[in-house]
């Protein structure tokens, strides 16, 4: 492979950065590994883990936590772009390379399949890898966030939509690129848009994965599985909880029950929906209103000393709940809650008070948008102290 050196700078287009820095992404993975190691207890956890959506955000944090807290072997599925001589890879691709290297150095099996997780092919390929390298899997983490899904049987392509249900909604939002706070009016979703969003972000594919793994007999006795969701409170309810994405997330509760029933009629096991707090990820930055809410939330929770990011949340979920010493903290629907610090009256009232006042002019003063921006760039490997961003860098690692 020829060396083709380039200076890699962030290139932001709307709510996405189209470049990523390989060394910066490796730093980001290392920071999360360091956090997990510092907080590791001595409890037992899963030894073989499958993470579907393993390369960024909550899925990557799940992979890092199980590997470096419990010493788990991990198999991941992701949808990322490889680097070329002229273009950087996507951040998730560099994250995954770095993770695999660090896991291998720690003596752990870590392999990743860059395939469409919604396809039958991905399920078949994963089962082959499990049989060859792991035997059986103790934990399956389902952490996909995708705008589209091709139904593997009908071939039909469904899209997910971010719109309110029932009536139009006008809400303050923040354009993170132009740094303008303004009102946005979202029309109500059509029935087709609601159904499409449920097809993409609901529980159907999680069920297909678990069915395939059960049929192939690659789940260990009492295996666990979890899918991730967000609930939120009144500020985000009209555009999340009670909107198209919220309807899709409700379908996860249905799927969790169906999967648990099937597991228990076989080798035992449980499926849980785990509720996580709002954080900056590539997916949340694409949701209207969320970046403004997150900027205010970070400000309030940092002031109160209760701020947590991705790795803190997942570490709490894995070591404190799913594989913790005590009983699970389930809500009335049977979900695991690690989002409760975000939802206290104190936090929500403070965010609401700031929400009413925030404008383009006072954005940096009232909110933690500067913290939001730092986190956003870090998702793509930019802004790490240990990296020389002026150095000529090979995009192919
Ligand atoms: P993310 O964009 O960082 O991660 C999405 C992952 O899915 C990536 O690894 C990506 O490669 C993978 N992926 C997407 N489409 C794929 C496909 N077709 N095949 C294989 N892999 C594919 O998103 P995230 O914010 O970490 O979201 C993960 C889950 O966590 C979602 O269910 C989301 O709703 C939930 N969640 C997010 C937040 C938040 O604030 N970000 C809060 C609570 C819950």
């Amino acid at each position: 492979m020829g060396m083709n050196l380039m200076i890699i700078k962030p290139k932001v287009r709307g709510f996405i950065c189209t470049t990523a820095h390989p060394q910066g992404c490796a730093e980001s993975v290392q920071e999360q590994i360091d956090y997990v190691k510092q907080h590791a207890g001595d409890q037992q956890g899963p030894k073989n883990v499958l993470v579907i959506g393993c390369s960024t955000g909550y899925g990557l944090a799940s992979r890092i936590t199980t590997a470096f807290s419990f010493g788990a072997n991990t198999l991941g599925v992701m949808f990322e772009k490889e680097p070329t001589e002229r273009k950087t890879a996507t951040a998730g691709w560099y994250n995954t390379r770095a993770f695999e290297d660090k896991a291998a150095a720690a003596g752990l099996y870590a392999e990743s399949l860059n395939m469409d997780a919604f396809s039958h092919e991905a399920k078949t390929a994963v089962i082959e890898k499990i049989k060859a390298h792991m035997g059986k899997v103790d934990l399956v983490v389902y952490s996909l966030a995708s705008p589209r899904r091709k139904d593997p049987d009908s071939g039909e392509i469904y899209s997910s939509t971010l719109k309110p249900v029932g009536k139009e909604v006008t809400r303050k939002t923040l354009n993170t690129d132009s740094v303008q706070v303004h009102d946005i009016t979202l029309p109500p979703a059509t029935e087709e848009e609601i159904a499409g969003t449920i097809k993409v972000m609901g529980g159907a594919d999680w069920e297909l994965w678990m069915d395939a793994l059960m049929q192939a007999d690659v789940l260990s006795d009492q295996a666990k599985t979890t899918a991730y969701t967000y609930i939120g409170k009144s500020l985000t309810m009209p555009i999340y909880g009670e909107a198209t994405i919220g309807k899709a997330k409700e379908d996860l509760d249905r799927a969790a029950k169906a999967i648990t029933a099937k597991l228990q009629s076989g080798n035992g096991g449980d499926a849980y929906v785990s509720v996580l707090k709002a954080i900056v990820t590539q997916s949340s930055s694409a949701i209207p209103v969320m970046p403004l809410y997150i900027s205010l939330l970070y400000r309030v929770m940092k002031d109160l000393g209760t701020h947590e990011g991705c790795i803190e949340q997942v570490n709490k979920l894995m070591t404190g709940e799913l594989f913790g010493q005590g009983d699970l903290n389930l809500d009335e629907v049977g979900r695991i809650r690690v989002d409760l610090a975000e939802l206290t009256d104190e936090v929500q009232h403070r965010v609401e008070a700031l929400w009413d006042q925030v404008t383009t002019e006072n954005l940096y003063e009232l909110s933690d948008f500067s913290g939001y921006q730092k986190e956003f760039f870090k998702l793509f490997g930019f802004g790490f102290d240990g990296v020389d961003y002026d150095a000529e860098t090979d995009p192919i690692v």
Side-chain angles (χ1 to χ4, degrees), residues 294-305:
I294 290 173
S295 301
L296 293 168
L297 180 73
Y298 276 26
R299 155 82 195 272
V300 168
M301 292 184 83
K302 283 178 183 176
D303 283 354
L304 291 170

Side-chain angles (χ1 to χ4, degrees), residues 311-332:
I311 195 69
E312 290 88 349
Q313 279 278 291
V314 173
N315 192 62
K316 194 179 261 184
L317 170 67
M318 293 294 171
T319 63
E321 296 289 336
L322 264 178
F323 302 97
Q325 320 278 17
D327 289 340
L328 284 173
N329 249 320
L330 300 179
D331 68 10
E332 69 291 351

Side-chain angles (χ1 to χ4, degrees), residues 17-319:
C17 178
T18 61
T19 54
H21 201 287
Q23 277 82 48
C25 289
E27 284 290 307
S28 151
V29 169
Q30 188 60 48
E31 272 189 1
Q32 296 187 62
I33 292 174
D34 292 344
Y35 176 87
V36 164
K37 282 184 166 171
Q38 278 158 22
H39 293 81
D42 48 15
Q43 77 262 52
Q44 293 295 303
K47 288 296 169 220
N48 292 306
V49 177
L50 169 63
V51 182
I52 302 158
C54 67
S55 51
T56 56
Y58 276 131
L60 174 64
S62 305
R63 194 174 194 186
I64 291 173
T65 303
T66 52
F68 287 92
S69 199
F70 303 132
N73 298 317
T74 58
L75 178 60
V77 185
M78 61 183 181
F79 205 52
E80 302 290 350
K81 282 207 182 78
E82 290 185 22
T84 67
E85 300 221 337
R86 307 168 78 242
K87 241 180 147 294
T88 72
T90 48
W93 197 88
Y94 289 135
N95 289 339
T96 300
R97 263 298 132 84
F99 173 83
E100 287 177 352
D101 287 350
K102 291 167 200 288
L108 303 172
Y109 166 78
E111 216 177 332
S112 318
L113 297 172
N114 194 9
M115 295 179 83
D116 177 10
F118 297 125
S119 67
H120 288 313
E121 289 82 357
K123 291 163 180 91
T124 306
V126 158
I127 288 165
E128 276 173 21
K129 289 284 178 196
I130 294 172
K131 285 183 175 164
H133 301 281
M134 296 170 137
K136 299 208 172 185
V137 163
D138 315 308
L139 171 68
V140 179
V141 174
Y142 190 84
S143 187
L144 289 187
S146 173
R148 262 174 304 282
R149 170 172 172 235
K150 183 173 173 184
D151 184 291
D153 293 318
S154 69
E156 195 167 337
I157 294 173
Y158 295 98
S159 293
S160 96
T161 310
L162 296 161
K163 283 188 186 166
V165 168
K167 53 181 190 312
E168 89 172 22
V169 167
T170 300
R171 257 218 151 9
K172 243 183 211 180
T173 193
L174 163 64
N175 180 323
T176 49
D177 201 8
S178 63
V179 195
Q180 300 284 317
V181 176
H182 60 93
D183 275 352
I184 183 173
T185 298
L186 298 165
T190 63
E191 286 304 321
E192 197 187 337
E193 286 172 326
I194 298 168
T197 309
I198 295 172
K199 286 271 187 195
V200 180
M201 290 299 286
D205 181 58
W206 184 25
E207 286 184 277
L208 289 180
W209 270 103
M210 297 309 295
D211 283 345
L213 297 168
M214 279 184 257
Q215 264 164 32
D217 195 24
V218 291
L219 293 177
S220 51
D221 292 350
Q222 306 302 327
K224 290 182 184 175
T225 182
T226 185
Y228 295 152
T229 193
Y230 177 72
I231 293 178
K233 274 229 171 122
S234 60
L235 281 172
T236 55
M237 222 23 113
I239 55 94
Y240 198 103
E242 290 167 356
T244 45
I245 179 76
K247 295 288 162 210
K249 293 296 193 180
E250 272 170 28
D251 188 57
L252 291 177
D253 296 324
R254 176 202 58 76
K257 287 203 187 74
I259 295 168
T260 297
K262 283 186 192 165
L263 286 171
Q264 297 196 341
S265 70
N267 300 336
D270 286 290
Y272 298 102
V273 173
S274 299
V275 192
L276 302 168
K277 77 178 278 286
I279 53 156
V280 184
T281 65
Q282 292 186 43
S283 294
S284 70
S285 63
I287 303 177
V289 183
M290 270 324 231
L292 181 58
Y293 173 75
I294 290 173
S295 301
L296 293 168
L297 180 73
Y298 276 26
R299 155 82 195 272
V300 168
M301 292 184 83
K302 283 178 183 176
D303 283 354
L304 291 170
T306 56
H307 172 72
E308 285 184 332
C310 205
I311 195 69
E312 290 88 349
Q313 279 278 291
V314 173
N315 192 62
K316 194 179 261 184
L317 170 67
M318 293 294 171
T319 63

